Amino acid sequence: MISRINEAVLKIIQKYNSEFNSLTLNNNILKYQDEQINLQNFNLETIFESYQLKLDISNMKAKDLFKIIKLNAIIFNTNEEGV
């Protein structure tokens, strides 16, 4: 279920800003250049709920969005492990 949500979110933001076409998602692994993030338990939709990211996304570079997603996924996964 999360993988479908993540695929849909990525497609939407790629339509909104073609800069994000360099981000790929396969088997819930988000890749940018030579880096990757496992989004197995992380819902991309959640990063657009908490703060102004959705307003800044039109001017953002792919590397910056990737860093934001990576940081949020790490924090989420760390919190899940600590529960």
Side-chain angles (χ1 to χ4, degrees):
M1 180 72 161
I2 289 177
S3 63
R4 288 188 198 166
I5 293 169
N6 289 343
E7 288 171 9
V9 170
L10 183 60
K11 286 179 184 179
I12 290 168
I13 63 174
Q14 286 174 329
K15 287 180 182 179
Y16 190 68
N17 183 342
S18 62
E19 169 71 24
F20 304 135
N21 289 336
S22 57
L23 298 170
T24 60
L25 187 64
N26 189 14
N27 293 324
N28 227 13
I29 304 291
L30 182 67
K31 294 182 182 179
Y32 174 72
Q33 295 180 345
D34 60 344
E35 289 190 75
Q36 63 182 22
I37 307 165
N38 186 339
L39 300 178
Q40 181 178 354
N41 298 315
F42 184 71
N43 182 339
L44 280 177
E45 198 172 35
T46 61
I47 66 172
F48 297 100
E49 295 172 356
S50 303
Y51 49 114
Q52 187 173 326
L53 180 61
K54 58 186 167 189
L55 300 175
D56 296 333
I57 206 163
S58 63
N59 298 319
M60 191 175 289
K61 300 288 183 193
K63 69 177 182 173
D64 297 325
L65 180 60
F66 184 84
K67 288 178 186 177
I68 290 168
I69 294 170
K70 184 176 182 178
L71 178 62
N72 279 274
I74 289 169
I75 292 169
F76 177 84
N77 289 331
T78 301
N79 287 340
E80 287 291 305
E81 290 170 6
V83 171

